Amino acid sequence: MTPSDLSEQALLRGLHTQFVGRTIHYAQALPSTQDAAREAAHAGALEGAVFVTDEQTAGRGRLGRRWEAPAGSSLLLSVVLRPSAELYPKLLIVGGLAAALAIEGSAGLRAELKWPNDVLLRGKKVGGVLVEGEFAGAEPLFAVMGIGINVNLDPQALREVLYPATSLSHELGAPVPRAPLAQGLMRHLERTLLQARAGEPVHRLWRARLVTLDREVEVRAGAELIKGHAVDVDADGGLVVRRPDGSLTIVVAGDVTLQT
Ligand code: BT5
């Protein structure tokens, strides 16, 4: 077996973070890094424990959707977090921003964000963020943040994409090493989490990368379809939509899809 470039040793070397990635668990294949992280969180894993794999047999997006990643092609990473109730809603902001910054560091191309959780390169989806949590009442027991980034893959190999997709290698015309990207992601995650925890307005940095603002949008939130003009985002990443009658609605990022 060829050793993976995402082995624990490769990722720990020179990482220098305080908590994100202090423990790293690599597996050649897993159903989903989300489930491995969740199980570990239940068993008491510390904040920042990272799970990474070369292949997922049941990789998922939000709302039961699939995340496709041919074996060895992608960065598939989940991290155990133990946020306060106040921080929890900001995790999608933290993850999106960290993914965009890490991609920029590796690819030298500006990454943009599509509300609520897509990472784009040149207008196409290159990655996604998934936040799942368990709660006792309103208090989060833990959260698992999953990030998938298309690194070395032919976007045409993806079968079920709803939105145009791309990869770092496709945009750059050359393969991209995954370990430096993974390390950049862990460092940016830690830094952005600490900023958010300290009450810094990370949503402003996130907003500056959003391609969704100042556009007509259709947002599906459960059974409701909200149509209007996307005017802003709030500090928790909620999308502020002005409806045709002039009223403002804030759509919470958690479990909705944008249709335009
Ligand atoms: C996401 O969901 O974009 C979040 C994806 C998170 C994946 C990571 S990988 C590590 C961790 N372990 C997991 O099991 N998951 C996380 P969503 O916004 O629901 O987008 C899913 C949709 O994106 C699918 O329905 C497809 O249309 C499309 N899609 C699937 N695979 C894709 C890919 N590789 N690149 C671009 N689009 C893709």
Side-chain angles (χ1 to χ4, degrees), residues 39-50:
E39 249 173 62
H42 271 296
L46 292 180
E47 175 156 76
V50 160

Side-chain angles (χ1 to χ4, degrees), residues 22-43:
R22 283 295 86 207
T23 59
I24 295 177
H25 306 264
Y26 164 80
Q28 195 186 351
L30 282 176
S32 160
T33 54
Q34 290 293 102
D35 296 334
R38 177 186 293 257
E39 249 173 62
H42 271 296

Side-chain angles (χ1 to χ4, degrees), residues 169-238:
S169 64
H170 186 72
E171 296 302 328
L172 292 176
V176 173
R178 290 182 299 169
L181 175 67
Q183 290 188 319
L185 180 60
M186 290 187 275
R187 291 191 194 108
H188 283 296
L189 262 179
E190 179 168 292
R191 194 172 311 153
T192 312
L193 265 171
L194 290 172
Q195 288 172 335
R197 194 179 288 166
E200 291 181 33
V202 287
H203 70 287
R204 293 201 189 138
L205 302 171
W206 186 71
R207 175 167 53 198
R209 289 172 186 272
L210 276 181
V211 298
T212 313
L213 295 184
D214 202 19
R215 283 178 40 189
E216 296 306 309
V217 294
E218 291 185 13
V219 188
R220 164 129 348 251
E224 202 188 354
L225 187 63
I226 299 161
K227 293 188 187 185
H229 196 76
V231 290
D232 203 356
V233 282
D234 70 11
D236 286 344

Side-chain angles (χ1 to χ4, degrees), residues 131-151:
V131 175
E132 297 174 321
E134 290 196 14
F135 292 81
E139 276 306 307
L141 296 171
F142 62 82
V144 174
M145 180 191 291
I147 296 179
I149 299 176
N150 301 334
V151 186

Side-chain angles (χ1 to χ4, degrees), residues 32-33 56 60-62 65 68 117 125 150 160 162:
S32 160
T33 54
Q56 296 187 128
R60 62 175 175 267
R62 298 172 314 135
R65 301 202 204 101
E68 292 184 54
N117 69 318
K125 181 160 173 170
N150 301 334
E160 291 174 27
L162 302 170

Side-chain angles (χ1 to χ4, degrees), residues 3-102:
S4 169
D5 60 337
L6 294 181
S7 67
E8 286 100 347
Q9 296 86 326
L11 295 188
L12 285 169
R13 198 174 303 130
L15 181 62
H16 302 310
T17 49
Q18 293 168 40
F19 61 99
V20 173
R22 283 295 86 207
T23 59
I24 295 177
H25 306 264
Y26 164 80
Q28 195 186 351
L30 282 176
S32 160
T33 54
Q34 290 293 102
D35 296 334
R38 177 186 293 257
E39 249 173 62
H42 271 296
L46 292 180
E47 175 156 76
V50 160
F51 293 78
V52 62
T53 190
D54 271 315
E55 184 178 8
Q56 296 187 128
T57 50
R60 62 175 175 267
R62 298 172 314 135
L63 308 168
R65 301 202 204 101
R66 272 164 43 90
W67 186 255
E68 292 184 54
S73 70
S74 300
L75 182 57
L76 308 164
L77 181 148
S78 296
V79 56
V80 173
L81 300 173
R82 299 197 177 271
S84 64
E86 197 188 337
L87 183 61
Y88 186 88
K90 298 183 171 54
L91 292 180
L92 217 44
I93 294 179
V94 168
L97 204 48
L101 291 167

